[in-house]
Amino acid sequence: MRAYLMIAGMWIRSTMAYRASFAMTTFGNFSATLLDFVAIMLMFSRVDTLGGWSLPEVAFLYGLSGTAFGLADLLIGSMERLGRRVRDGTLDTLLVRPAPVLAQVAADQFALRRLGRVVQGLLVLGWALTRLDVTWTPVKLLLMPVMAVSGCGIFCAVFVAGAAFQFLAQDASEVQNAFTYGGTTLLQYPPTVFAKELVRGVTFVLPLAFVNWLPATYVLGRPYPLDLPRWTAFAPPLVAVACCALAGLAWRAGLRSYRSTGS
């Protein structure tokens, strides 16, 4: 963590040296991600429900997914560039430094502008909460920050696991993006619009459903399509820890298999 914070702090100071540029790029990031929600609002201009879910309920899913992924993308999104370093051999320079390679890769070119995605997700989530008719209890209130933190952890694990795969594939950033950026897009829509095979896949194989689908159905009082027990809505922290542990093992295995470019 000390190495990560030092490297990230260096990039933040570099970014804030040009504050006007930072403000414009952050606003651009905010606006680009906002278009995703605009597309959802355009859908609801023609229909009343989507898979049986109203616009505020879908906005609730969108805000949770966008916030969790935005935090993960801010903290560790630089992992997607690992394949380029493996291919051109610049990863070798990180190996000889007295700091963990994972911390160096994660903090490399730390992009503070990605805060725009986090802010946009929080705004949509806040709007949804003002429109939803939910009977709030202490348990549901506690589940809200737990969802954000656990979802961030799950997405961080996907980033690290995807980076570990790039040790073998060397340039598979688009494969990784299919599960990170593609995963958050999937979670923006209710599970009822997808085939049950896909819902099972993102529940039991790549557990992205624990980011928002499962806990959100508990908060909203909706049944989950797979008829899972209600206690699974409180499993995201355990799932996040398990995913991070498995991703860590995959990273260590990938790093041990690295043999440089040979030149």
Side-chain angles (χ1 to χ4, degrees):
M1 286 302 299
R2 181 173 179 272
Y4 174 88
L5 292 174
M6 289 179 63
I7 298 171
M10 175 189 69
W11 284 103
I12 291 174
R13 290 191 295 272
S14 174
T15 299
M16 297 309 293
Y18 303 94
R19 298 190 180 185
S21 176
F22 164 71
M24 289 186 290
T25 55
T26 303
F27 179 75
N29 187 273
F30 173 90
S31 302
T33 54
L34 182 63
L35 292 177
D36 292 337
F37 188 65
V38 170
I40 293 175
M41 295 185 69
L42 290 176
M43 293 182 195
F44 277 94
S45 68
R46 300 299 180 185
V47 298
D48 294 327
T49 60
L50 185 63
W53 291 56
S54 65
L55 176 58
E57 290 173 326
V58 174
F60 185 65
L61 293 179
Y62 179 98
L64 290 173
S65 172
T67 301
F69 177 76
L71 289 171
D73 190 37
L74 172 67
L75 296 174
I76 205 169
S78 298
M79 298 295 296
E80 66 182 6
R81 287 192 289 269
L82 179 66
R84 189 182 309 165
R85 284 189 172 275
V86 172
R87 189 176 65 254
D88 59 23
T90 56
L91 183 64
D92 293 1
T93 61
L94 306 185
L95 294 173
V96 299
R97 294 174 181 171
V101 179
L102 179 59
Q104 295 184 69
V105 176
D108 184 41
Q109 298 186 27
F110 187 90
L112 196 59
R113 67 177 183 278
R114 291 171 177 161
L115 276 174
R117 181 186 290 272
V118 180
V119 172
Q120 190 262 339
L122 287 173
L123 288 176
V124 174
L125 179 60
W127 178 85
L129 292 175
T130 62
R131 298 295 190 275
L132 288 172
D133 184 17
V134 177
T135 302
W136 291 102
T137 64
V139 174
K140 290 182 179 180
L141 290 172
L142 180 62
L143 194 57
M144 293 297 296
V146 169
M147 279 190 282
V149 175
S150 300
C152 174
I154 292 172
F155 274 121
C156 283
V158 176
F159 270 112
V160 174
F165 174 70
Q166 293 191 54
F167 280 113
L168 301 176
Q170 295 188 2
D171 193 8
S173 59
E174 293 307 319
V175 175
Q176 180 177 345
N177 291 342
F179 294 98
T180 51
Y181 292 94
T184 187
T185 301
L186 174 78
L187 297 177
Q188 291 170 1
Y189 297 90
T192 50
V193 304
F194 301 105
K196 283 197 173 182
E197 290 75 14
L198 179 60
V199 177
R200 290 191 185 97
V202 296
T203 302
F204 301 111
V205 181
L206 184 67
L208 295 176
F210 290 88
V211 173
N212 64 347
W213 279 357
L214 278 164
T217 53
Y218 173 81
V219 172
L220 300 176
R222 284 184 164 274
Y224 193 64
L226 302 181
D227 296 325
L228 294 176
R230 301 290 281 179
W231 61 263
T232 54
F234 304 95
L238 297 177
V239 173
V241 170
C243 288
C244 288
L246 292 173
L249 292 175
W251 171 263
R252 289 173 65 89
L255 190 60
R256 284 196 299 266
S257 69
Y258 178 65
R259 293 296 180 267
S260 188
T261 59
S263 62

